[in-house]
Amino acid sequence: MRVVKEAEERRNEILDAADELFGQKGFDGTSTNDILVKVGIARGTLYHHFKSKEDIMDALIERYSVKLIGAAQEVALDKSVPVIERILRVVMALNINSDNGSGKEVMEHIHRPQNALMHQKIQKVIISGVPPILTPIILEGIEQGLFNTPYPYECMEMVIVYANTIFDEDRADMTNEERTSRVLSFIFNVERLLGAESGSLMSVMQIFGKGRDGNE
């Protein structure tokens, strides 16, 4: 007896299968037939939901975006965590590469030249979605005397735009020395944007996998 499932349920089954397969075999190494076999559906059913393998990747990117923003929001609401540590945790929650599924494969796919539109889509989600999450934390910091700025949202918008551009994976042409210099300059200027004590945000170096002196 043929099992007929609701469209949304079937769509998610296809995405779950593709997510797992992309993580195991890579995007290029996964065929639409691999996805069909894993889900147990006919080709026509797949194409009813997605026009192509690239369309499936687009949908996965959208799903990851929602997941990442949701994870960042959850971290931001945990007021038991100190302000500066919470800011760090929010940013770390946006690290798609730490996901157990095909996160790394998704990011590698996004950063290919032919996928500039996907890359732009992810950047737009981050730039529009993250400042509203960080702003309430900055306001808490102001109340606690950690920060002093009349423009908390605008500060976060500037920080996210800069970080999302300069520290993007596409900037692979930077040497380690140049990257370290950018990171130190970034922290120095963010502290001034927020009116924070000099050195108080140095813990954000953890985001870049470095210590206070810039070494691994």
Side-chain angles (χ1 to χ4, degrees):
M1 184 176 181
R2 193 163 72 95
V3 178
V4 179
K5 296 194 175 182
E6 292 291 335
E8 190 63 25
E9 184 181 354
R10 180 63 81 191
R11 189 174 187 275
N12 282 323
E13 277 188 352
I14 294 169
L15 288 177
D16 289 340
D19 187 22
E20 186 176 339
L21 288 167
F22 290 164
Q24 292 172 352
K25 305 171 69 172
F27 178 79
D28 293 330
T30 301
S31 67
T32 52
N33 193 61
D34 291 332
I35 299 171
L36 295 177
V37 170
K38 188 164 185 65
V39 183
I41 56 174
R43 191 168 295 274
T45 303
L46 176 68
Y47 290 135
H48 173 73
H49 296 281
F50 301 101
K51 297 176 184 177
S52 64
K53 191 171 68 167
E54 287 73 18
D55 197 22
I56 293 174
M57 176 60 85
D58 268 344
L60 274 177
I61 289 169
E62 183 179 351
R63 192 160 78 166
Y64 269 112
S65 299
V66 171
K67 180 179 177 182
L68 292 174
I69 294 297
Q73 183 70 66
E74 185 177 346
V75 171
L77 293 173
D78 185 0
K79 295 194 176 185
S80 68
V81 178
V83 165
I84 293 175
E85 182 182 344
R86 209 179 329 150
I87 293 171
L88 175 63
R89 289 190 184 186
V90 167
V91 177
M92 291 303 290
L94 296 167
N95 183 10
I96 195 170
N97 292 307
S98 65
D99 195 275
N100 293 325
S102 61
K104 185 177 180 181
E105 179 65 26
V106 169
M107 291 310 291
E108 287 177 354
H109 184 68
I110 290 169
H111 286 99
R112 289 171 187 155
Q114 66 268 34
N115 295 322
L117 188 59
M118 286 189 209
H119 189 192
Q120 186 178 19
K121 189 187 300 184
I122 279 282
Q123 284 190 318
K124 185 176 180 181
V125 169
I126 292 172
I127 291 169
S128 63
V130 179
I133 293 172
L134 288 172
T135 299
I137 307 178
I138 301 304
L139 290 171
E140 282 183 55
I142 292 172
E143 290 176 3
Q144 295 173 21
L146 298 171
F147 309 134
N148 180 22
T149 174
Y151 304 107
Y153 179 87
E154 290 78 4
C155 283
M156 289 300 93
E157 195 171 53
M158 284 185 242
V159 165
I160 294 301
V161 169
Y162 181 87
N164 199 49
T165 304
I166 300 302
F167 300 118
D168 189 272
E169 292 294 326
D170 280 351
R171 293 294 298 259
D173 56 329
M174 277 197 293
T175 66
N176 286 336
E177 286 184 2
E178 288 172 335
R179 185 177 175 81
T180 298
S181 178
R182 295 288 200 291
V183 171
L184 292 172
S185 171
F186 176 66
I187 295 169
F188 178 90
N189 285 295
V190 170
E191 287 173 348
R192 275 140 194 81
L193 270 176
L194 293 175
E197 183 181 344
S198 180
S200 62
L201 297 182
M202 195 54 68
S203 59
V204 301
M205 285 293 278
Q206 294 174 38
I207 296 171
F208 306 95
K210 300 178 184 294
R212 286 177 178 267
D213 59 357
N215 296 321
E216 292 290 337

